[in-house]
Amino acid sequence: MAAQPAKATKSVIVDEDSEKEIQVDVQSVAKLQEFLHSYRPPSDVKRDHLGEHFRIELNQPLAEFESKNARAYIASDLTNPARRLFAHVCLPGTAQRYRAIAELKSLMHPGLTQIVACGPVELSQPLEERLVIIYERPDGIKLSELLQKNPDLRNQNFLCTNIIGPLIAAINQLGELGLSHGSINHNTIYIQNMAMLAPAVAEPCGYSQMYYYDTLERMQCLPSGKGEGTTAHDYYALAVLSLYVLHGPEYFANFTPERLPYRILQEGIYNTFLPNEDAPEMFFDFFRGIFCENSVDRWDYGYIRPWLDGKRYNVLPPPSPVETARPFEYADISADTRRQISYALTKNWDKIPEVLQSGKLSHWVAISLRNRELTESIARIANSVAEINSKNEIQLNEQFMRAILILDPHAPIHLGKITFNIDGIDTLYAELYLSKSQELASIIKYIEFNMSNFWLDQQRKNPEYEPPPLYSLMLTKLDRVRAFIRNNSMGFGPERTLYELNPDMACQSPLLGGSYIATLPALLKRLDQLAPSMSKESDPLDRHIAAFITSKLGIQHELHINELSANPTLASNRSILSLYLLSMVHDKVGVTFKYPGLTHWLGARILPLLEDIHSRTLRQKIKNLLMDKARLGRLTSLADLVINNDYATADRNGFNQAWNKYHANAIKIEQYRSEALIDKQSMRVGFSFAKTIAYIALLISIITSMRLI
């Protein structure tokens, strides 16, 4: 019974120690927060300035240079005030042509608007950081305005000398860089003496292009899914522009977006745009050479330059496209060629199952085209469609896509409401993701199920087909992201796919709201700046930041902090994961940079987690060291303490030893509490005690007897 008070006293002592430690923790966290409250990261940023030389005049907008993804303003060169510049301030959550910007920054060409500078700028209105692109301002006025003011310029001499000559040189220069302009039309050309192309890099290629300047394949795509394309598309637009110069805007009045594709498919490009060959005779070769059905055969600089210099080719006018004498007819669909049928199916999406399963399409192919392989392919797709549940929209769309492509391998990819070219899947994915479109699910499944392979198989049926470099690059990207898109852990999933497909895109994390962060050093700097205001609310990590980092660092596998495997609670905590990733970033960008705000932020989030350490001595030691490391501003040092230190293993081993000892003692205590065992032990003790008393009595008796003798 005497042991009970002692046990109670010990319990009180333990509670007092715990309470004291909790008070120390509160004080430590308070010290970290106190530092953050007074912390002011160094900043020498001037609002509305790009670097030391350029200022964006936000009170002087230039509506004529605006694009769908950017607002335009006058810009000033502070070292040369007479210089005429303008700036595109890109809207947040939009994609730009980053590779084109990088290539064109170092290029000076009389037919191309020069890019002077590009980078993030802190704006004064709104108070946000945006990507800004600064250009030389084109001289002259828009071609459309010039022709309206001077109708006499609508002649072949002006067209050849002032427009076609300068523009084919500019297009050729872009082609040598592996680029295309994508938006050549009467509103993107400025004329003083010679034509100059306005910039088209603040939005995806062809995003704002007028539909009748686009080829049939690009005309069908969503604006963000057209892809970078090639200069063949620019030469096509140049030929349409030539018709505009010769005949004016009224020439295109009947070319509606709904009707124009049908006319091109039924009559051919040349016969659609020049039904009466209403052009100067010298232009017959030019239009016939460019308005051909096969883009591979389309005239380029090598043909147009000699033609301008007087060479004549006598190109024959192309016939109307007809494959058979018997048209395919079903309901409202009437078509003479496979391409016409393919396009008609895209415009009658809900009727595709009916058309396929009726058997009329496969019968027409078998009888009219005598194409056994195509007939069997259509029959297989029809059977697949019949077996798929009507509610499984994604699988049905895949089969419909296959039907469209086997009929017209040159067609873009159609998946329900989305249509795109292979090299446009990156910018389309970005737009669908950032706009939170429900159609994103279709493109995710397209990537996941590797549907591009079917498209590629159709192209390879032409033995002369060679995929453009950008197509091959995109197919490689899609192979890589397939594993990422299935993994929904931190650093992967749809967010990782976004940055893999668009590696130059700024991080879209809501934590970074109002900031344009496109590099790892900028990320650490911005998080350090945000530490005073956000440390109490959240960790410096979310799915976007994690995906942005893993993409930049090339991390291929799911994140596991093996160093903390002895303590799963710490290993799976987001604050610890934040430190783990950000310390790798710090190591990548260089540990000479210090981020005290960020280390104090992480310290304040991590310190309470250390309660999970069982050893009070070890726990307090780690906490004290954490306070010291936070002051250094080095994430790598903090990670060495919290993650790479072997304290977790030592604590686990010590805890296991203590637990085993406690468990053994607990068993003994339970045994002592057994009634039978108590009786047995009592008898044993009593017997031993009696035996001892007997020996003592015997000894006393012997001693007494000896004395009497």
Side-chain angles (χ1 to χ4, degrees):
M1 297 296 295
Q4 188 65 32
K7 184 176 181 181
T9 303
K10 185 177 180 181
S11 177
V12 171
I13 292 173
V14 170
D15 290 344
E16 289 177 351
D17 287 349
S18 298
E19 185 176 346
K20 182 178 180 181
E21 187 174 357
I22 290 172
Q23 291 176 352
V24 171
D25 289 347
V26 172
Q27 292 174 2
S28 298
V29 173
K31 286 182 180 179
L32 293 169
Q33 293 291 352
E34 183 181 352
F35 171 86
L36 289 170
H37 182 71
S38 60
Y39 180 58
R40 296 295 179 269
S43 177
D44 55 355
V45 174
K46 292 182 179 179
R47 292 195 180 276
D48 305 331
H49 284 68
L50 178 55
E52 296 291 330
H53 303 299
F54 306 105
R55 183 176 64 232
I56 296 87
E57 310 295 347
L58 295 177
N59 60 342
Q60 299 183 61
L62 289 172
E64 66 178 292
F65 291 109
E66 285 192 356
S67 75
K68 290 182 179 179
N69 283 3
R71 301 290 175 261
Y73 301 90
I74 289 177
S76 301
D77 184 343
L78 302 179
T79 62
N80 183 6
R83 196 175 184 186
R84 299 178 74 249
L85 304 174
F86 82 96
H88 268 150
V89 177
C90 300
L91 299 178
T94 60
Q96 284 71 49
R97 297 176 66 186
Y98 308 102
R99 187 176 75 88
I101 293 171
E103 293 282 357
L104 296 176
K105 277 177 67 175
S106 58
L107 178 68
M108 295 183 65
H109 190 279
L112 297 169
T113 302
Q114 183 185 355
I115 298 177
V116 177
C118 178
V121 171
E122 291 274 2
L123 301 178
S124 58
Q125 47 176 335
L127 293 174
E128 292 182 359
E129 187 179 31
R130 302 274 188 84
L131 179 68
V132 172
I133 313 166
I134 296 180
Y135 316 86
E136 293 280 0
R137 191 170 172 182
D139 293 325
I141 63 174
K142 288 182 179 180
L143 176 61
S144 55
E145 297 175 6
L146 178 65
L147 294 176
Q148 187 175 9
K149 293 179 179 179
N150 299 283
D152 293 341
L153 295 177
R154 297 185 182 280
N155 61 74
Q156 62 188 46
N157 292 331
F158 174 77
L159 176 58
C160 292
T161 304
N162 298 78
I163 297 179
I164 295 179
L167 291 188
I168 61 168
I171 295 170
N172 185 60
Q173 179 66 72
L174 290 172
E176 290 181 359
L177 298 174
L179 301 171
S180 65
H181 187 274
S183 293
I184 295 176
N185 61 61
H186 51 270
N187 284 327
T188 59
I189 296 170
Y190 285 79
I191 299 282
Q192 188 174 43
N193 294 317
M194 298 293 177
M196 173 180 281
L197 286 169
V201 296
E203 60 188 25
C205 185
Y207 194 72
S208 301
Q209 179 64 300
M210 298 176 182
Y211 67 92
Y212 51 85
Y213 280 93
D214 261 331
T215 61
L216 178 64
E217 296 76 23
R218 292 174 71 82
M219 197 187 305
Q220 297 177 63
C221 294
L222 292 175
S224 60
K226 294 178 180 179
E228 282 292 316
T230 66
T231 53
H233 303 116
D234 287 337
Y235 288 118
Y236 181 97
L238 178 61
V240 177
L241 176 72
S242 299
L243 288 174
Y244 178 91
V245 173
L246 293 172
H247 299 295
E250 59 275 4
Y251 191 79
F252 303 91
N254 295 324
F255 294 153
T256 64
E258 296 76 23
R259 182 58 187 159
L260 181 57
Y262 281 109
R263 287 189 59 178
I264 290 175
L265 288 168
Q266 291 171 349
E267 302 170 17
I269 303 171
Y270 180 80
N271 294 325
T272 295
F273 282 107
L274 289 102
N276 302 313
E277 295 195 324
D278 190 10
E281 186 176 350
M282 68 166 289
F283 276 89
F284 287 171
D285 281 349
F286 175 75
F287 287 122
R288 292 169 184 173
I290 293 180
F291 287 152
C292 59
E293 304 305 315
N294 191 343
S295 61
V296 176
D297 299 328
R298 191 165 293 152
W299 271 21
D300 57 13
Y301 185 83
Y303 285 95
I304 302 174
R305 184 69 263 175
W307 170 79
L308 279 176
D309 293 336
K311 183 175 180 178
R312 296 296 172 258
Y313 295 89
N314 295 320
V315 182
L316 296 175
S320 298
V322 176
E323 285 182 310
T324 67
R326 179 186 176 188
F328 170 76
E329 295 181 342
Y330 187 89
D332 298 332
I333 300 174
S334 179
D336 295 308
T337 67
R338 294 167 52 181
R339 296 193 72 192
Q340 292 175 26
I341 297 172
S342 176
Y343 184 77
L345 292 179
T346 68
K347 296 303 178 183
N348 295 272
W349 197 259
D350 295 337
K351 291 184 179 179
I352 295 179
E354 181 183 338
V355 173
L356 292 174
Q357 294 174 42
S358 70
K360 290 188 176 181
L361 179 57
S362 57
H363 179 75
W364 179 83
V365 172
I367 301 301
S368 300
L369 298 184
R370 301 184 183 278
N371 188 323
R372 181 176 179 180
E373 180 183 357
L374 182 58
T375 303
E376 292 174 350
S377 297
I378 292 173
R380 282 196 301 269
I381 293 173
N383 291 334
S384 298
V385 169
E387 294 172 0
I388 296 173
N389 189 308
S390 59
K391 294 182 179 180
N392 196 331
E393 185 177 356
I394 290 177
Q395 286 191 17
L396 284 174
N397 284 345
E398 179 184 1
Q399 295 302 319
F400 299 167
M401 176 202 75
R402 290 170 178 263
I404 290 164
L405 283 176
I406 63 172
L407 289 168
D408 181 10
H410 301 294
I413 294 165
H414 291 78
L415 279 177
K417 297 178 181 178
I418 61 174
T419 309
F420 57 93
N421 288 315
I422 285 291
D423 60 334
I425 195 171
D426 48 359
T427 47
L428 175 62
Y429 184 97
E431 182 169 82
L432 294 177
Y433 182 94
L434 296 173
S435 65
K436 299 180 180 179
S437 170
Q438 294 181 349
E439 303 304 324
L440 180 67
S442 294
I443 203 166
I444 286 177
K445 290 301 180 183
Y446 175 88
I447 297 171
E448 187 176 350
F449 295 160
N450 198 17
M451 296 183 197
S452 293
N453 272 356
F454 184 81
W455 172 87
L456 188 59
D457 289 342
Q458 301 310 304
Q459 312 310 311
R460 286 174 174 167
K461 290 181 179 180
N462 179 359
E464 298 180 357
Y465 176 76
E466 291 185 11
L470 288 179
Y471 281 32
S472 300
L473 177 62
M474 186 56 65
L475 292 170
T476 301
K477 277 187 180 182
L478 293 176
D479 284 337
R480 185 172 65 249
V481 303
R482 191 166 299 112
F484 300 150
I485 208 168
R486 296 170 181 164
N487 185 347
N488 205 36
S489 64
M490 188 71 76
F492 295 88
E495 295 82 8
R496 176 66 180 271
T497 304
L498 173 67
Y499 299 114
E500 288 291 330
L501 293 177
N502 301 274
D504 296 305
M505 175 168 275
C507 183
Q508 300 298 311
S509 168
L511 294 178
L512 306 173
S515 300
Y516 184 89
I517 305 299
T519 64
L520 292 177
L523 176 65
L524 290 183
K525 182 178 179 180
R526 183 55 180 158
L527 289 174
D528 189 65
Q529 294 170 345
L530 291 171
S533 61
M534 299 191 67
S535 58
K536 291 183 180 180
E537 301 173 5
S538 64
D539 296 301
L541 187 75
D542 61 8
R543 293 191 63 85
H544 270 286
I545 293 177
F548 184 79
I549 291 173
T550 55
S551 178
K552 295 291 185 187
L553 295 180
I555 295 174
Q556 302 295 313
H557 304 291
E558 190 170 336
L559 299 172
H560 293 290
I561 307 179
N562 297 323
E563 294 86 347
L564 292 178
S565 58
N567 193 322
T569 303
L570 288 179
S572 61
N573 185 272
R574 181 169 291 195
S575 298
I576 300 293
L577 185 60
S578 303
L579 176 59
Y580 179 68
L581 277 176
L582 292 173
S583 65
M584 285 194 285
V585 175
H586 198 174
D587 185 60
K588 177 77 172 179
V589 304
V591 294
T592 55
F593 298 97
K594 295 182 180 181
Y595 306 97
L598 188 49
T599 52
H600 279 74
W601 181 355
L602 286 165
R605 305 289 297 183
I606 291 172
L607 192 141
L609 303 176
L610 300 179
E611 289 298 321
D612 202 53
I613 299 175
H614 302 92
S615 169
R616 178 181 294 117
T617 303
L618 180 60
R619 182 168 63 239
Q620 196 56 50
K621 178 181 177 181
I622 298 296
K623 288 179 179 179
N624 292 336
L625 287 172
L626 183 144
M627 297 293 292
D628 294 336
K629 298 292 186 182
R631 297 186 188 98
L632 297 177
R634 291 177 178 166
L635 293 157
T636 50
S637 298
L638 195 61
D640 287 339
L641 170 66
V642 177
I643 296 174
N644 299 327
N645 198 307
D646 59 0
Y647 72 88
T649 303
D651 182 61
R652 180 186 63 179
N653 293 339
F655 177 75
N656 287 341
Q657 291 176 5
W659 169 253
N660 291 335
K661 187 173 182 180
Y662 168 81
H663 187 61
N665 290 338
I667 293 174
K668 290 181 179 180
I669 291 172
E670 287 300 320
Q671 290 175 345
Y672 283 127
R673 289 176 178 172
S674 170
E675 184 175 345
L677 183 60
I678 291 174
D679 291 340
K680 185 177 180 180
Q681 290 291 341
S682 298
M683 290 177 64
R684 184 181 298 170
V685 171
F687 176 77
S688 299
F689 183 71
K691 188 176 180 180
T692 301
I693 295 298
Y695 279 125
I696 293 173
L698 178 62
L699 182 61
I700 293 173
S701 298
I702 294 173
I703 294 173
T704 303
S705 299
M706 291 181 65
R707 286 181 177 176
L708 291 175
I709 296 173

